[in-house]
Amino acid sequence: MIQTDNVYRDISLRFPSQIIIGKNSLNKLADEVIAGEYSNVLIITINVLLTKLNPLIQQLNERGITVHINTAIVQEPSFFDFETLLNSVINKPVDAVVGIGGGSVLDIAKLLAAQINNDQSLKDITGIGLLKKRNIKLICVPTTAGTGSEVSPNAILIDDADNQKKGIISPYLVPDVVIIDPVLTYNLPPDITAATGLDALTHCLEAYTNLFAHPFIDMYALEGIRLIANNLIKVIRNGSDENARTQLAIGSMLGGFCLGPVNTAGVHALSYPLGSMFHLAHGLSNALLLPYIMEFNIPTAPDRYAQVARTLGCNSGKTDMDTAYAGVAMIRELIEQCNIPSTLSAAGIKKEAIPAIAADAMKITRLLRNNPRPINLSDAINIYEAAY
Ligand SMILES: [Fe+2]
């Protein structure tokens, strides 16, 4: 039962010191670096953004600031990818790390800022609250409206030893400065816009319906649901709709605030193996499972799912259950309008793989325990089969 009237558990949040939101706010990044008197900046980004970053790099160089650029991260990173990257930069005198990209790029930038000059190994810090400090300035600039990594204390890597996605979760991974520039998302292809937007929506939805939901986080979760539901289709139809792109980016950031103190639940737990075993995009994996896990959870928390439905724009039905199921129908419609695969089979997953996928999902206990209704192995198999 979700806590609604009882005494709430304590939560602790760390926010970025500064969040800059606005069209062309990337232009303010150089001011931040110059004001901080940093002399060696490491930028983690992707190749396609380099042209857009030229003015920034030029501005920094003109002030005598050395800029190192690394574009090695091209997919969801593993422990090995991170260690390789860390070894390539560890001898550089970096005093500020800037991540400009999607969730994988930002996660890696966050971890680099923590691990350059840290005597703790990656293994030492994997888990919750194990990282002891971060000495290097960290600036994050998301270029997708999805992961919320720009404000979250989480970084996710695939462990090469067992192919599991593992979290490094620490308040020291929250960046110092976040720049939300909607212009950077204008050229994002519709399928990536859809998948990342649905990921952000799932962060908010899983936080609001979480077994450990908290009223302070509910505020971010509900507003995030509203902003994403109202703007996702608009930006898929018109990628350069400035107003909608800005609202979507803010919704995604609100989803990021949900990730620290409450976090996600069954959808993310069951979607992780689809990413680690089949390299399905994270947002798409979530979207494939979201309606089915909502249906599974509704009997346990009809009031919460009814509020989700109203926030999505549904009218209240006769009962919370009716309203909640109308919310599932609206989510299905939203996913359909996103024009992405809507079943596991359409996403290329083989049916005979389901038992292995379900067994793998059972290992994601840190998220499964957040789900309002317990999910066991046979539940998971049923959910994957329904989503097939
Ligand atoms: Fe996610």
Side-chain angles (χ1 to χ4, degrees), residues 210-228:
N210 202 288
L211 190 60
F212 301 101
H214 193 282
F216 190 76
I217 296 304
D218 289 349
M219 174 177 77
Y220 296 112
L222 288 178
E223 183 59 6
I225 291 170
R226 192 186 71 80
L227 286 171
I228 297 163

Side-chain angles (χ1 to χ4, degrees), residues 146-147 199-200 203 259 264 268 272 282 286:
T147 64
D199 181 31
H203 296 156
L259 293 178
T264 58
H268 272 71
Y272 272 4
H282 174 68
N286 286 328

